[in-house]
Amino acid sequence: MHRAFGKAKPDSMFLLGSITKPLTAAAVMVLVDRGELKLSDAVVKVLPEFSEGPRKDITIEQLLTHTSGLPDQLEDNNALRASHAPLADFVKEAMRTPLLFAPGTRYHYQSMGILLAAEIVERVTKTPLPKFLQEHVFAPLGMKRSVLGLGAFSKADMVPMQTEHAAPEAGGGDPKAREWDWNSDYWRNLAAPWGGAHSTAADIATFLHSFMHPEGKALREATARLMITDHTPKLEAHRGIGFMVGPVGLGKGCSANTFGHSGSTGTLAWADPAKETTFVLLTSLRSKDQETNVS
């Protein structure tokens, strides 16, 4: 059942925020499927400049499970966005930003880990991530209204964000940040692999369904199952590959097998294989004290 409210329509495209992360993770797993990468590979194998100190021991799996020690956002994130820096500048900064802890010892949500995972895809495939996702994830699954950045779509095709309660890294609702906030041409086109995808509720439901009932269209069944398996059972948060797993932060009535993700743009998506239920909520407003647990 699809329902739209306000000016939105069932096929309206929304800025996904961090629901982008499992999409990026799926691109990495396409390469795992091909045998071109292993989750246990050291990041330095593909990014040789990422070799200082304990960085040389960080694995691709740790980038995707938020256990690498990298920060969520760079210290100069706002300055980079205000100057309309390209993603390459974020990558350079992420390569050398101080680690918060020894790799693999803790969980700390980290958009910069997802950024470096995206950089790995681009270097291995020599293809921009938006193009790779379109060809190897979105098209095979029939996700016709999904895109990283804007691609062939325009900003007019997207639901405008209400930015008064925007996340701090998106300007925090400050009118002075309008040239780099969620609605700016800069952000909509940047194609940030941690938060810059656009899609519809139906397409995201299709994406989730492909993990509940893998058909081999984008990923082999074993690879799809691996993405929704708990890889951090002994840490304070339970993470699959790109996904949150378990009911915490997703749905109060969900089973332990639930997987999904939320986004700071006011989005939430999860699937519960035990109950054969998929839920996708895409909105244009993050409330000031957003509660992502829903019944």
Side-chain angles (χ1 to χ4, degrees):
M1 178 180 69
H2 296 119
R3 295 184 65 185
F5 301 89
K7 296 181 179 180
K9 299 177 181 179
D11 65 347
S12 290
M13 298 177 71
F14 287 80
L15 181 62
L16 296 180
S18 288
I19 294 177
T20 303
K21 290 178 171 69
L23 302 178
T24 297
V28 176
M29 297 306 282
V30 169
L31 299 184
V32 171
D33 247 359
R34 294 177 179 178
E36 296 181 45
L37 291 175
K38 295 179 181 177
L39 287 175
S40 59
D41 283 343
V43 174
V44 71
K45 180 177 179 180
V46 183
L47 309 180
E49 63 270 48
F50 194 64
S51 59
E52 181 183 351
R55 283 174 171 74
K56 67 181 184 301
D57 300 319
I58 294 175
T59 66
I60 294 172
E61 180 177 5
Q62 289 168 343
L63 294 182
L64 297 171
T65 57
H66 304 270
T67 58
S68 70
L70 286 164
D72 179 25
Q73 302 292 336
L74 297 170
E75 186 176 351
D76 56 350
N77 166 75
N78 289 20
L80 285 167
R81 286 177 63 160
S83 67
H84 291 187
L87 273 178
D89 287 0
F90 286 83
V91 170
K92 290 176 184 177
E93 290 294 323
M95 292 282 194
R96 59 191 182 214
T97 192
L99 299 183
L100 303 178
F101 51 84
T105 61
R106 289 174 51 195
Y107 163 85
H108 180 82
Y109 189 75
Q110 48 195 234
S111 294
M112 294 304 96
I114 300 298
L115 171 64
L116 293 189
E119 179 70 7
I120 287 171
V121 173
E122 295 199 348
R123 293 204 191 180
V124 170
T125 65
K126 296 179 173 55
T127 303
L129 182 62
K131 185 174 188 290
F132 188 85
L133 274 171
Q134 177 60 40
E135 294 177 351
H136 299 284
V137 178
F138 300 153
L141 293 178
M143 297 168 64
K144 297 180 179 180
R145 291 181 66 78
S146 296
V147 63
L148 181 57
L150 289 179
F153 296 93
S154 70
K155 197 169 73 167
D157 293 317
M158 309 304 167
V159 174
M161 292 299 304
Q162 301 175 65
T163 58
E164 52 262 45
H165 300 311
E169 66 271 15
D174 187 343
K176 296 178 182 177
R178 284 177 180 163
E179 294 302 313
W180 55 271
D181 69 10
W182 285 326
N183 283 325
S184 66
D185 290 342
Y186 167 71
W187 183 253
R188 296 282 187 162
N189 282 290
L190 185 62
W194 67 88
H198 299 87
S199 190
T200 65
D203 270 12
I204 296 305
T206 294
F207 181 70
L208 295 175
H209 187 269
S210 74
F211 292 93
M212 281 208 298
H213 300 285
E215 298 176 350
K217 293 179 180 179
L219 297 171
R220 291 186 301 112
E221 180 176 353
T223 309
R225 300 289 186 202
L226 187 61
M227 283 188 67
I228 60 174
T229 299
D230 188 355
H231 289 250
T232 59
K234 297 182 180 180
L235 299 182
E236 59 268 33
H238 298 283
R239 304 294 304 205
I241 300 300
F243 282 114
M244 303 162 65
V245 294
V248 177
L250 294 175
K252 293 177 180 177
C254 291
S255 76
N257 296 323
T258 304
F259 62 94
H261 217 288
S262 58
S264 65
T265 51
T267 58
L268 175 65
W270 53 259
D272 186 346
K275 298 184 178 182
E276 282 292 325
T277 301
T278 301
F279 175 86
V280 181
L281 173 68
L282 305 181
T283 77
S284 63
L285 175 66
R286 175 187 170 89
S287 66
K288 199 168 187 179
D289 298 301
Q290 186 178 32
E291 174 58 64
T292 57
N293 274 345
V294 295
S295 300

